[in-house]
């Protein structure tokens, strides 16, 4: 992708500027340089370009919203379901709790690396030659393009195509459906699960398509409510603590003792590690929505510049709120699982297929209720709330990543998927609404086309998982089990979206830190020793399950929680197949570009031009207002292929 120099505007107030082609009046924000007004007007009249409007500070994600983004993402179905697999797979109280501590280590080391990348990459050069960091939405998409410039489009295609598949909400949509049926006391069937899961997915997608503002408000409500309920759950656990059970389970003589079912190989431990990464894996959600933003008044003198867009004052909010929120949930998750082990006897914990969360509720609040169905309904309601919150927040973030992928020009109709739209009952969806003057200029536009793409893929996966399970599963006592398809999707999701890419991030950060010719330490806001330590820990903790899950265990030929229907190798094989398909897509895309160049002498040129406004005297910093994305087929000039990277483009390499 070709990227021009940052466009920094002055304090001029051009007023109403007629669009060149139509003569219609378009009012842009005050403070734009006349040259930038011309650029914007030309882009609005250009079929090969779109103008993306950046949320102003008052519409950005504040500290509370960023925290709720993390709470909603991490408190999902994993905290209630993963414990069952971990306790059974290890057959050890001590080993199970160590695995939860492993999840804490993964999350905390990962937060350090993602904060570092979020505040440093990509980097741009101002007209005066000063380099600043101006990160944007996309997280791994942006980072991989920084790490791997050649072969061209490889990082974009492999991550972008695989994220289309892995970056879905099918697992939590299904979990919400099952939990809602449990809360209602209704018998589960495949059709009911499919209907409710698709309804949850549809509601979330329509919400984020029609209103960015209400999507954020609901995120804040659910995130704070889920945190509160998790704390209440801990309070109930402490109130109903069983001293006899805790003494037996936490005895130094028996906490790590072996049973006849204790695994001798590594597969079941690797599977348990994947299940613990499931609830912890969303620690980097804020990176998905960190798009161009403020460049502080120190940007012209400080090599690290500043960042924002969706997030207000990110150097303050993005870093410390992300770290504090993840750290808080790490503590709460460990406490919840310690309480599981302090209340539920190990012979119950270690049973195959045991619902640990439900057993916890029965042994705590169940003591105050004579009807276990009410307890089951309460457990289902809490699970449903956690799952729907996860669906809503991941739809918000995943759609923006897919929008950023589309802006790279690798998909058919990329401009339409890259555009944001405004919705109103009077006009429906509008791609380029008329601008208003002053502070009313900003419109709550949303990536509706990217959300529609997200909805389509998630719906297909819901149907495949549930109906595919129904075709192979015979209902017992009229109750349908969704577990085989759900478990396959969950394992493939964690392995493909988290473990694989986390390993790449860790290795790349070690290379940036330790390569002799690298000057990364001078760009990064993270101390060098801390960055190296975090990269080493993050890499090693992800490499083990990445490799160990391929080592078969003769005593466990099937995946956990699959009712003996899914082979042990299915999820990782599915992941490799999708990554392989993404690689094939890249080859096909490069062949298409070669064909257009040789047959039609045309090359694809992708440019992204940010437009900033500067305050008086440059003392208040620079504020990004717009971004112009242009995808064009231009006449091929062979000499351009041999030219080096021009000054002013996004910085590449270490």
């Amino acid at each position: 992708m070709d990227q021009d120099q940052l466009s920094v505007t002055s304090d001029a107030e051009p007023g109403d500027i007629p669009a060149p082609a139509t003569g219609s009046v378009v009012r842009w924000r005050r403070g734009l340089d006349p040259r930038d007004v011309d650029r914007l007007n030309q882009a609005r009249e250009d079929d090969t370009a779109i103008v993306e409007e950046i949320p102003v500070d008052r519409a950005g994600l504040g500290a509370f919203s960023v925290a709720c983004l993390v709470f909603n993402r991490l408190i999902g179905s994993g905290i209630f379901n993963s414990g069952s697999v971990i306790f059974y797979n290890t057959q050890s109280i001590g080993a199970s709790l160590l695995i939860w501590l492993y999840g804490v280590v993964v999350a905390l080391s990962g937060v350090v690396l993602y904060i570092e990348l979020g505040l440093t990459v990509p980097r741009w050069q101002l007209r005066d030659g000063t380099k600043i960091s101006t990160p944007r939405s996309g997280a791994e998409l942006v980072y991989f393009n920084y790490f791997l410039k050649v072969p061209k489009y490889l990082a974009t295609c492999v991550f972008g195509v695989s994220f289309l598949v892995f970056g879905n909400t099918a697992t939590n949509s299904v979990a919400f459906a099952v939990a809602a049926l449990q809360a209602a006391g209704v018998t589960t069937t495949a059709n009911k699960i499919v209907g409710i899961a698709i309804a949850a997915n549809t509601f979330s997608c329509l919400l984020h398509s029609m209103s960015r503002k209400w999507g954020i408000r609901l995120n804040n409500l659910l995130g704070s409510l889920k945190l509160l309920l998790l704390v209440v759950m801990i309070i109930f656990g402490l109130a109903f603590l069983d001293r006899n059970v805790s003494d037996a389970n936490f005895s130094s003589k028996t906490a790590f003792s072996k049973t006849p079912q204790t695994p001798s190989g590594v597969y079941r431990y690797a599977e348990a590690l994947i299940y613990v990464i499931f609830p912890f894996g969303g620690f980097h959600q804020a990176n998905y929505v960190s798009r161009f933003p403020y460049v502080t008044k120190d940007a012209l003198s400080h090599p690290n510049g500043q960042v924002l867009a969706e997030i207000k004052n990110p150097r303050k909010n993005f870093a410390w709120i992300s770290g504090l929120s993840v750290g808080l949930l790490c503590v709460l998750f460990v406490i919840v699982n310690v309480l599981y082990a302090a209340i539920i006897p190990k012979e119950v914990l270690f049973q195959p297929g045991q619902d640990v969360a439900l057993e916890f509720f029965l042994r705590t609040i169940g003591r105050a209720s004579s009807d276990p169905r009410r307890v089951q309904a309460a457990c289902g309601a809490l699970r449903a709330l956690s799952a729907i919150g996860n669906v809503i927040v991941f739809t918000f973030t995943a759609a923006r990543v897919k929008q950023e992928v589309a802006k790279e020009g690798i998909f058919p109709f990329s401009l339409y998927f890259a555009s944001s739209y405004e919705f109103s009952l009077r006009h429906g969806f509008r791609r380029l609404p008329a601008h208003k003057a002053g502070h009313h200029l900003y419109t709550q536009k949303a990536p509706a086309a990217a959300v529609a793409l997200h909805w389509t893929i998630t719906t297909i996966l819901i149907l495949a998982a549930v109906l595919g399970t129904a075709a192979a599963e015979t209902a017992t006592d009229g109750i349908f089990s969704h577990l085989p398809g759900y478990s396959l999707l969950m394992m493939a999701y964690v392995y493909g979206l988290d473990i694989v890419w986390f390993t790449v991030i860790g290795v790349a950060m070690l290379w940036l830190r330790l390569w002799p010719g690298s000057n990364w330490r001078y760009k990064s806001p993270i101390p060098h020793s801390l960055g190296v330590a975090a990269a080493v820990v993050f890499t090693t903790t992800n490499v083990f399950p990445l490799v160990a899950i391929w080592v078969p265990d003769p005593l466990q030929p099937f995946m956990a929680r699959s009712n003996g229907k899914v082979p042990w190798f299915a999820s990782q094989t599915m992941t490799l197949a999708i990554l392989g398909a993404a690689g094939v897509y890249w080859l096909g895309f490069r062949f298409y570009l070669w064909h257009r160049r040789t047959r039609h002498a045309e090359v694809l040129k992708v440019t992204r031009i940010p437009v900033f406004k500067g305050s008086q005297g440059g003392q208040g910093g620079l504020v990004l207002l717009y971004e112009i994305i242009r995808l064009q087929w231009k006449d091929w000039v062979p000499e351009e292929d041999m030219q080096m990277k021009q000054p002013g483009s996004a910085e590449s390499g270490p």
Side-chain angles (χ1 to χ4, degrees):
M1 179 184 66
D2 297 320
Q3 297 170 304
D4 294 346
Q5 286 177 310
L6 288 179
S7 179
V8 182
T9 66
S10 66
D11 290 325
E13 297 185 9
D16 294 342
I17 306 295
T22 63
S24 60
V25 173
V26 178
R27 292 182 64 89
W28 302 101
R29 286 175 180 156
R30 293 182 177 182
L32 290 180
D33 186 277
R35 294 171 298 177
D36 292 319
V37 172
D38 290 339
R39 282 185 174 186
L40 291 166
N41 279 327
Q42 291 171 8
R44 285 175 61 91
E45 299 302 321
D46 187 351
D47 291 336
T48 66
I50 58 174
V51 176
E52 279 294 287
E53 194 172 355
I54 307 303
V56 295
D57 184 70
R58 63 183 176 83
L61 296 174
F64 180 68
S65 295
V66 174
C68 289
L69 198 73
V70 177
F71 296 155
N72 255 326
R73 184 69 181 92
L74 268 66
I75 307 175
S77 59
I79 185 59
F80 302 105
N81 297 333
S82 294
S84 302
V85 174
I86 294 169
F87 281 116
Y88 170 72
N89 273 28
T90 61
Q91 294 289 304
S92 167
I93 298 296
S96 297
L97 297 182
L98 285 178
I99 284 179
W100 280 97
L101 291 177
Y102 161 92
V104 170
V105 171
V106 171
L108 294 182
S109 60
V111 161
V112 172
L113 296 186
Y114 274 82
I115 288 176
E116 179 178 11
L117 287 166
L119 295 177
T120 312
V121 177
R123 300 175 65 80
W124 288 74
Q125 183 172 297
L126 296 172
R127 287 170 177 163
D128 64 356
T130 304
K131 292 181 180 179
I132 61 173
S133 61
T134 56
R136 58 172 168 282
S137 300
E140 289 93 347
L141 172 68
V142 179
Y143 311 150
F144 294 155
N145 279 327
Y146 181 83
F147 299 147
L148 186 66
K149 292 296 181 181
V150 291
K152 195 172 183 180
Y153 296 111
L154 177 60
T156 302
C157 287
V158 173
F159 175 79
V161 173
S162 63
F163 189 86
L164 285 180
V165 181
F166 293 130
N168 66 82
T169 53
T171 53
N172 273 290
S173 295
V174 172
F176 169 77
V178 174
L181 292 172
Q182 181 187 30
V186 177
T187 302
T188 59
T189 65
N191 291 336
K192 291 177 183 177
I193 292 175
V194 166
I196 297 175
I198 292 179
N201 179 42
T202 302
F203 167 75
S204 180
C205 290
L206 286 177
L207 173 69
H208 291 303
S209 296
M210 294 182 177
S211 176
R212 177 183 177 276
K213 176 176 66 177
W214 281 101
I216 294 174
R217 288 178 177 177
L218 189 56
N219 164 73
N220 295 348
L221 174 64
L222 291 178
S224 55
L225 184 59
K226 286 164 66 173
L227 180 67
L228 175 63
L229 290 176
L230 190 63
V231 173
V232 170
M233 182 178 172
I234 291 174
I235 293 174
F236 273 110
L238 294 173
F240 291 98
L241 197 65
D242 192 323
R243 183 61 62 86
N244 294 328
V245 172
S246 61
D247 289 344
N249 285 355
F250 294 125
S251 170
S252 59
K253 297 180 180 179
T254 61
F256 291 93
S257 60
K258 293 185 178 181
T259 70
Q261 289 77 33
T262 299
S264 57
V266 298
Y267 174 81
R268 286 171 62 177
Y269 291 105
E271 192 175 52
L273 294 178
I274 290 177
Y275 266 87
V276 84
I277 289 178
F278 183 45
F280 284 108
F283 63 81
H284 59 306
Q285 287 306 291
N287 293 69
Y288 286 159
V289 293
S290 298
R291 183 163 57 181
F292 286 118
Y294 281 121
V295 179
T296 64
K297 62 184 179 181
D298 299 324
L300 298 180
S301 59
H302 194 284
N304 289 324
Q306 177 64 304
V307 63
L308 179 65
E310 298 273 354
I311 298 177
K312 298 178 183 177
N313 192 10
R315 212 113 350 224
K316 176 182 178 182
N317 292 338
F318 168 67
W320 79 267
I321 287 295
S322 293
L324 184 62
S325 301
V326 172
L328 174 62
L329 290 184
C330 286
V331 173
L332 296 181
F333 283 3
V334 171
I335 293 176
V336 166
N337 283 274
V338 169
L339 290 174
Y340 286 162
I343 293 174
I344 306 172
K346 64 172 62 177
E347 58 269 19
V348 178
L349 284 173
F350 297 163
Q351 289 179 5
Q354 179 63 256
D355 190 338
V356 171
L358 178 58
E359 190 68 26
F360 173 85
F361 274 83
L362 290 172
R363 292 173 180 268
T364 53
I365 62 175
R367 297 183 185 180
S369 175
S370 58
D371 188 355
R373 291 177 298 181
R374 293 184 178 180
V375 179
Q376 185 174 2
C379 181
L382 181 56
R383 280 173 154 162
L385 178 68
S386 298
I388 192 62
N390 190 287
V391 170
I392 289 172
V393 72
F394 194 59
T395 299
F396 179 83
T397 56
R400 279 154 178 79
V401 176
K402 292 168 184 177
Q403 183 184 34
E404 290 298 316
V405 174
K407 290 177 182 179
E408 301 296 320
I410 66 169
F411 295 146
F413 310 107
S414 282
L415 282 180
Y416 292 95
F417 290 113
S419 299
S420 292
Y421 301 79
E422 181 190 35
F423 177 82
S424 66
L425 294 177
R426 179 179 179 184
H427 298 101
F429 287 103
R430 296 186 296 171
R431 177 180 168 188
L432 295 172
H435 287 62
K436 300 177 182 179
H439 67 279
H440 297 291
L441 174 71
Y442 175 69
T443 53
Q444 294 283 335
K445 292 186 287 186
V451 172
L453 182 62
H454 173 86
W455 180 90
T456 302
I457 295 173
T458 297
T459 299
I460 292 172
L461 291 174
I462 290 172
L463 292 171
V466 179
L467 298 184
T469 297
E473 180 105 342
T474 302
T476 303
D477 298 329
I479 300 177
F480 169 76
S481 175
H482 67 292
L483 289 176
Y486 171 88
S487 300
L488 175 60
L489 274 186
M490 194 282 294
M491 287 281 288
Y493 165 88
V494 178
Y495 193 78
L497 189 62
D498 290 340
I499 292 177
V500 170
W501 297 128
F502 287 171
T503 302
V504 174
I505 289 288
V507 171
M509 292 303 292
L510 281 175
W511 176 71
L512 288 179
R513 285 286 185 181
L514 302 179
W515 181 59
S518 173
N519 60 351
W520 177 261
R521 68 174 66 188
Y522 305 112
K523 304 172 186 177
S524 171
I526 301 296
H528 181 68
S529 57
L530 176 61
V532 172
V536 170
V537 172
F538 196 59
T539 303
T540 53
T541 51
N542 282 283
V543 163
F544 178 77
L546 178 76
V547 176
I549 197 65
W550 290 98
V551 180
D553 184 345
L555 299 179
Q556 187 166 340
F558 299 103
M559 185 186 301
R561 301 185 80 222
S562 69
N563 297 346
K565 301 292 183 181
V566 183
W568 66 272
F569 55 82
S571 62
Q572 53 268 45
T573 303
M574 178 179 173
T575 298
L576 286 187
I578 293 171
L579 292 175
V584 171
Y585 183 90
W586 170 71
L587 292 175
F589 183 67
R590 288 302 302 266
F591 176 80
Y592 175 69
L593 295 179
W594 173 82
H595 176 79
R596 290 287 296 258
R597 189 185 67 184
T598 56
R599 295 295 181 91
H600 304 285
E602 294 178 334
V603 293
L604 177 65
K605 185 175 182 181
V606 182
T607 57
R608 299 178 64 165
I609 305 173
V611 178
F612 286 84
K613 180 185 75 172
S615 60
Q616 293 181 355
Q619 297 301 312
L622 305 175
V623 182
L624 183 79
L625 300 182
Y626 304 96
E627 183 184 13
I628 301 172
I629 299 98
R630 182 173 281 108
L631 310 180
Q632 294 176 307
W633 288 99
K634 290 194 169 185
D635 292 339
W636 177 45
V637 180
E639 291 77 9
E640 290 184 356
D641 290 344
M642 304 301 295
Q643 291 178 354
M644 299 295 291
K645 177 170 64 84
Q646 297 297 320
S649 61
E651 182 182 331
S652 63

